Amino acid sequence: MKKIVSILVLTVLLFSCGKKTENTMTVSGSIDGLKKGTLYLQHIKDSSLTTIDSLKLRGDGFFSFSHEMETPEIFYLYLKKADNNDINDRIAFFGEQGDIFVKTKWNTFDLQPKISGSKSHETYAQCAEMLSKFNTRELELGQASLNPEIQNDSLAIDSIVRLINKNTVSRYRYVLNFALTNADSYVAPYMALAEAAEANPKYLDSINRVLTPEVAKSKYGKALDSYVRSLKQ
């Protein structure tokens, strides 16, 4: 009987391994301190956030998802906890074929998670870190403009508006330069679309022209090409 069970287990394992292809992304990891919750693997499909798979976690925070994909793209891990708190519950990462590992904590789920195994995500994280600085600067200026003394001073308001515009221009310049210098990364067309779609069309066209053939044929490469073409019509 034990021999039969062993054969059945081996058969299942071999079947499972056989299903994994070179286009499979496996996302696994742990959520420290999580006792109960549901974890969702999501991505954007047809302009809507769509759930690919879900997993109920009880007793520990270990998880694993597998997904067949054509080219690298942005994915999300959304944690629905039993604390009725929807804050800090979604991690964005740039997924690609292969094994990706995510380690985080239940109470600070999306705050500095450790993500490894994805070269595309390393590039994405580099850009995202810089963009967060521009976001922080814009927030600071916005809060400063709410000061009653400044609101009663037209010159001060004009000064803050100029600083906000300067910050926006600097942000666009950073994203565009980042995309141009990382034309061999699947992150380049994504950032151009997600963070600089309102930039001068000629700069977006420049990025579109220098993408490597592999990147140009990707999900975001095709989307950028379509967007640039629409701007020329």
Side-chain angles (χ1 to χ4, degrees):
M1 182 65 182
K2 291 183 178 179
K3 186 176 181 180
I4 295 176
V5 173
S6 298
I7 293 175
L8 288 174
V9 171
L10 181 59
T11 302
V12 171
L13 289 175
L14 289 174
F15 178 74
S16 298
C17 292
K19 291 177 64 178
K20 190 172 182 179
T21 71
E22 62 179 10
N23 291 324
T24 300
M25 173 185 71
T26 299
V27 184
S28 58
S30 62
I31 307 171
D32 292 347
L34 182 67
K35 299 301 180 182
K36 182 179 179 181
T38 303
L39 187 65
Y40 298 84
L41 177 64
Q42 304 174 320
H43 73 158
I44 301 296
K45 183 178 181 180
D46 299 328
S47 301
S48 299
L49 185 62
T50 304
T51 295
I52 299 171
D53 200 356
S54 63
L55 180 64
K56 289 187 176 181
L57 304 175
R58 294 177 181 274
D60 61 55
F62 294 99
F63 65 89
S64 181
F65 292 114
S66 289
H67 176 64
E68 291 293 307
M69 59 190 300
E70 295 182 4
T71 59
E73 64 175 285
I74 285 288
F75 289 87
Y76 303 91
L77 286 174
Y78 169 63
L79 177 62
K80 185 176 182 180
K81 298 178 291 189
D83 62 355
N84 297 316
N85 186 351
D86 292 330
I87 300 176
N88 301 331
D89 286 347
R90 183 171 279 112
I91 293 174
F93 68 96
F94 219 102
E96 60 185 25
Q97 295 90 338
D99 297 317
I100 300 175
F101 305 94
V102 180
K103 183 176 177 59
T104 186
K105 298 179 180 179
W106 77 273
N107 58 336
T108 54
F109 185 69
D110 70 338
L111 300 178
Q112 298 182 330
K114 295 180 180 179
I115 302 174
S116 60
S118 170
K119 182 178 179 181
S120 296
H121 183 76
E122 292 178 7
T123 304
Y124 168 75
Q126 177 187 346
C127 186
E129 181 179 2
M130 187 64 189
L131 290 179
S132 68
K133 296 179 180 180
F134 287 110
N135 292 340
T136 298
R137 178 57 174 163
E138 183 174 348
L139 181 61
E140 291 173 346
L141 291 170
Q143 291 177 335
S145 68
L146 298 178
N147 187 308
E149 294 182 3
I150 291 181
Q151 289 185 335
N152 293 325
D153 187 337
S154 60
L155 292 178
I157 286 292
D158 290 342
S159 177
I160 288 181
V161 169
R162 285 195 297 271
L163 289 174
I164 290 177
N165 290 337
K166 182 179 179 180
N167 184 68
T168 300
V169 171
S170 296
R171 179 191 176 95
Y172 279 152
R173 285 177 177 171
Y174 172 78
V175 173
L176 295 170
N177 183 65
F178 182 90
L180 284 170
T181 55
N182 290 276
D184 61 342
S185 172
Y186 296 96
V187 180
Y190 171 78
M191 283 299 182
L193 286 169
E195 302 293 344
E198 301 300 321
N200 191 312
K202 70 177 183 180
Y203 297 125
L204 296 175
D205 187 41
S206 296
I207 295 171
N208 190 44
R209 291 174 181 275
V210 299
L211 295 178
T212 61
E214 294 79 9
V215 174
K217 291 185 292 185
S218 69
K219 175 179 179 178
Y220 298 130
K222 292 178 180 178
L224 177 61
D225 182 65
S226 177
Y227 181 67
V228 169
R229 290 176 183 276
S230 70
L231 296 177
K232 294 179 179 181
Q233 294 178 355

